[in-house]
Amino acid sequence: ETVEAVVTLPTFKRPEQVLETLASLRAQKTDRRFAVIVMENEAEARAGAKAALPLFERGEMSGLVIIAHERGNCSAYNAGWQTAILQFPDFRHLLVIDDDEIAEADWLERMCKASETLGADIVGGPQVPVFADPAHAKWAEHPVFAPPYRETGRVAALYSSGNLLVGRNVLTAMGP
């Protein structure tokens, strides 16, 4: 299947949240063809995979659900990114969203457009914190949520692996 973008979504013991994230991806307003790869990172119970798989089987989501047997978020990313390279040979943009994040309806379009307009191989998007426990609101000013994300432009470093776009050229240059 030819897609312009692949969205990778690691999940670990959050079946309800991964469904909310997938719902936000289904609601994307874009003409770009994209696929989603859910990377289950809990290889025993597989709650996230079990929750997500029916959406793919019914054709409500385009893409794959895989099991990343090696535990750890980076291992899940690596499994998803390698799967994207192998299964979707023509994609241009790889995006990352975590299973505790919700994408705004124009998220995919804005991330891809930022990469194209700015000529950026790696794009990090803002993460607007919404905490279930009000006592955790103090973390809203942590660098993962706070500057340098207040405006679009070059930054010295990205502070989070969620809400990210990586060009295929970067992935192929890095290798597996």
Side-chain angles (χ1 to χ4, degrees), residues 17-123:
Q17 283 127 313
V18 78
L19 289 176
E20 290 177 21
T21 304
L22 286 167
S24 75
L25 295 176
R26 277 198 322 272
Q28 291 300 294
K29 291 182 168 69
T30 183
D31 291 330
R32 297 172 195 265
R33 291 184 51 132
F34 70 96
V36 176
I37 300 174
V38 175
M39 299 92 74
E40 170 64 74
N41 199 215
E42 204 280 294
E44 292 78 36
R46 301 179 179 186
K50 289 175 184 173
L53 193 56
L55 297 173
F56 291 85
E57 291 175 334
R58 291 191 303 260
E60 294 175 28
M61 295 294 310
S62 174
L64 305 162
V65 177
I66 66 170
I67 308 301
H69 293 277
E70 190 174 328
R71 188 69 53 87
N73 205 36
C74 291
S75 294
Y77 285 154
N78 289 336
W81 297 1
Q82 186 64 25
T83 299
I85 293 282
L86 295 172
Q87 297 296 316
F88 302 101
D90 298 320
F91 79 86
R92 182 173 175 196
H93 305 292
L94 183 130
L95 293 96
V96 179
I97 189 167
D98 287 333
D99 66 354
D100 61 349
E101 297 176 323
I102 303 297
E104 292 183 3
D106 61 352
W107 172 73
L108 186 133
E109 187 61 33
R110 290 180 71 193
M111 293 291 280
C112 293
K113 183 97 46 194
S115 172
E116 294 160 3
T117 303
L118 300 171
D121 294 326
I122 300 173
V123 174

